Amino acid sequence: MASFDNNPYRVLLTGFGPFGRFRENPSWLAVKPLHNTVMEADGYEYSSPIIHDDHSAMIVDEDGPRPRQIHITSLLIPMEYGAALAIVPPIHATPPMLPRHGNDSLPFIAPPEDGYDFVLHVGVAGRGPLRMEKVGHKLGYRLKDATGAMAPVVAQESLVAREITEAERREMDRLTILNDRVGNRPPSEVVDPMGPLRGFGKGYENFDDDLYTEIDVEKLVVHLKETGIEQVYTSMDAGHYLCDFVYFCSLAESRRGASNRRGPDPEMQDVTKVLGLQIPPVGQPLSTEEVTEAIRRIILWVCRTG
């Protein structure tokens, strides 16, 4: 049996649950195989992960120092605003809390007491390259989730006057052409274009409307292209849907969690790194295996660059 470091990088991957014609969400198909696996941060980059059956078995190699290792946990988030608000904030609590059930029958892995080093949220967008999201948005959620529910109301102010962004339009088009229906609802019921302002209100007043990841996304994209992943680019708009909603929530909660842990010493605790990635449906153009490999390389780069 392989031995493991007692202080690995702890990485949390999230993917989304079923929605519309996706009985298995492509994002979950891509992150699920990495659950409970270990990689070496300074080891051979493209080798297969080691299945780590017992997270309590991590020890320092007695033969001498070895590269710090990376332990990965995968977590399924339902395509529901309410579920996102129930699951994401506890990820950044001290200690973090994960749901013990509803994770597609994967074994429960206890989160690290002092928090995750890196959280990567993976969602599905339309046909095309991987989209590395730089920013999460606080307001402007007008698309209904898999249950037909809307994001929380922030104010009764109408959004009619606000121009729909290109990313939002792509999300609307994608949601309304899933076999011409979403779930059992016609396309006309997917979007609420004339409703009140929705997003993050109470408890998030002190956060900016746009929160940016602290990861250097441009450098990461360059690295991925240099290692053979050409189908990737940066994005400034995750579409104001569940991917965007989870991303903003996680960015905000990572900052809140770090602030709570620091106390009077601002250098005491770093912010957990958070990144959002949107992938295409399977085969449009990337296979699930290609996306999973890209996710592995993203994790390796982020953990290596500190």
Side-chain angles (χ1 to χ4, degrees), residues 143 163-176 237 239:
L143 303 179
E163 183 178 353
I164 298 174
T165 69
E166 182 58 31
E168 286 179 277
R169 194 176 303 281
R170 288 196 303 268
E171 285 292 310
M172 291 179 184
D173 290 343
R174 182 176 68 84
L175 295 174
T176 56
D237 194 337

Side-chain angles (χ1 to χ4, degrees), residues 81-182:
Y81 294 108
L85 288 172
I87 291 172
V88 176
I91 289 172
H92 297 282
T94 305
M97 293 177 288
L98 301 182
R100 287 184 172 269
H101 305 287
N103 201 31
D104 203 10
S105 300
L106 294 180
F108 177 78
I109 305 300
E113 289 290 324
D114 55 352
Y116 290 99
D117 296 287
F118 176 37
V119 178
L120 175 59
H121 299 290
V122 183
V124 63
R127 174 189 294 271
L130 302 172
R131 291 168 47 184
M132 206 74 66
E133 301 295 344
K134 299 175 67 174
V135 57
H137 301 94
K138 182 177 182 178
L139 305 170
Y141 293 89
R142 63 179 109 190
L143 303 179
K144 298 180 181 181
D145 67 18
T147 68
M150 300 293 296
V153 172
V154 175
Q156 292 301 320
E157 166 191 346
S158 173
L159 289 179
V160 174
R162 186 176 71 81
E163 183 178 353
I164 298 174
T165 69
E166 182 58 31
E168 286 179 277
R169 194 176 303 281
R170 288 196 303 268
E171 285 292 310
M172 291 179 184
D173 290 343
R174 182 176 68 84
L175 295 174
T176 56
I177 64 174
L178 296 180
N179 293 337
D180 296 326
R181 300 179 70 84
V182 177

